[in-house]
Amino acid sequence: EAQVTQNPRYLITVTGKKLTVTCSQNMNHEYMSWYRQDPGLGLRQIYYSMNVEVTDKGDVPEGYKVSRKEKRNFPLILESPSPNQTSLYFCASSGLSVLGRAYGYTFGSGTRLTVV
Amino acid sequence: GQNIDQPTEMTATEGAIVQINCTYQTSGFNGLFWYQQHAGEAPTFLSYNVLDGLEEKGRFSSFLSRSKGYSYLLLKELQMKDSASYLCAVRDGGATNKLIFGTGTLLAVQP
């Protein structure tokens, strides 16, 4: 089954304790992206990757890191989480046309992160 | 700047028709998407428009007017399971190729 798998689904952590949210897709998609979703603000892009070893900042990258060492995986790293990073996080992937333009996204099931 | 506007909430009756509007002002445009999202779950793809006009897909239709920066999602024969948030998203025409999302319209279907 074609899917984007995120783990964990729920996470409660303390301020300053490093954490990683994993994301893996089995569709051989080039494009992957992380979004956070907050009430009244909608989905905002954190980071994206056009292919292996190619990553760039989205609209709200502060406090986050990503890596793309393999095509299928795109982990989101919070080096020192803070309470304002409490949110619902989604990983998404998409294929790219020959012109390098992404098609619609397939989303992972989400990670609800609480930082206390 | 980038701006996508949708109504925050709507209410409709089971069996009826509802239209959810979306207006956008973005620096680039390479297509408009509608997603459905149930509370706490992932958005799921509903429709895609890149040319002006109506796209029909079962009970769901979506319309686009690029000159007016306007789209709507039409849901027919509403069912209780259609109660969800509906997200309008514009695909940026720039190098990032990202989707820019509106804040969503929460639709409540009542018996």
Side-chain angles (χ1 to χ4, degrees):
Chain A
E1 179 187 354
Q3 60 186 2
V4 177
T5 303
Q6 276 180 247
N7 281 297
R9 188 75 191 271
Y10 299 93
L11 179 60
I12 301 174
T13 190
V14 296
T15 299
K17 185 177 182 181
K18 180 179 178 180
L19 67 91
T20 299
V21 184
T22 63
C23 175
S24 180
Q25 50 96 3
N26 63 359
M27 295 166 282
N28 201 37
H29 282 167
E30 295 87 356
Y31 188 93
M32 298 186 76
S33 182
W34 278 101
Y35 282 82
R36 60 178 288 175
Q37 187 174 35
D38 302 288
L41 297 177
L43 283 157
R44 294 178 293 166
Q45 190 181 54
I46 302 170
Y47 268 93
Y48 67 95
S49 170
M50 298 289 281
N51 214 322
V52 175
E53 301 291 3
V54 181
T55 64
D56 209 345
K57 297 176 181 178
D59 296 318
V60 287
E62 294 76 21
Y64 304 95
K65 286 174 56 178
V66 292
S67 68
R68 189 89 181 273
K69 296 176 183 174
E70 307 164 281
K71 198 171 188 180
R72 63 184 293 123
N73 296 323
F74 190 46
L76 179 70
I77 302 156
L78 284 73
E79 294 273 2
S80 183
S82 62
N84 65 10
Q85 293 177 298
T86 293
S87 186
L88 179 59
Y89 291 86
F90 288 103
C91 179
S93 75
S94 174
L96 288 174
S97 75
V98 293
L99 296 176
R101 293 173 180 165
Y103 295 110
Y105 293 178
T106 300
F107 285 88
S109 54
T111 297
R112 186 167 291 282
L113 172 65
T114 302
V115 184
V116 297
Chain B
Q2 317 272 47
N3 196 44
I4 298 177
D5 287 319
Q6 315 177 225
T8 303
E9 295 181 349
M10 297 182 72
T11 302
T13 304
E14 192 176 14
I17 300 172
V18 70
Q19 177 175 312
I20 302 174
N21 296 324
C22 171
T23 57
Y24 64 89
Q25 290 177 301
T26 56
S27 56
F29 180 85
N30 195 19
L32 187 143
F33 295 80
W34 284 96
Y35 283 84
Q36 181 190 60
Q37 185 180 25
H38 287 98
E41 297 183 8
T44 55
F45 171 80
L46 286 178
S47 69
Y48 170 65
N49 296 71
V50 67
L51 300 176
D52 291 351
L54 189 67
E55 294 283 341
E56 296 188 82
K57 204 175 188 182
R59 295 190 299 115
F60 295 79
S61 303
S62 57
F63 172 83
L64 175 66
S65 169
R66 289 172 296 170
S67 62
K68 295 182 180 178
Y70 168 70
S71 173
Y72 68 72
L73 179 70
L74 194 70
L75 292 77
K76 305 174 187 175
E77 301 169 14
L78 280 172
Q79 303 174 9
M80 298 299 290
K81 67 178 182 180
D82 296 330
S83 294
S85 284
Y86 291 86
L87 312 180
C88 173
V90 171
R91 188 164 71 196
D92 190 356
T96 62
N97 294 307
K98 73 180 183 185
L99 290 187
I100 305 162
F101 285 86
T103 53
T105 299
L106 182 61
L107 174 66
V109 180
Q110 298 178 339

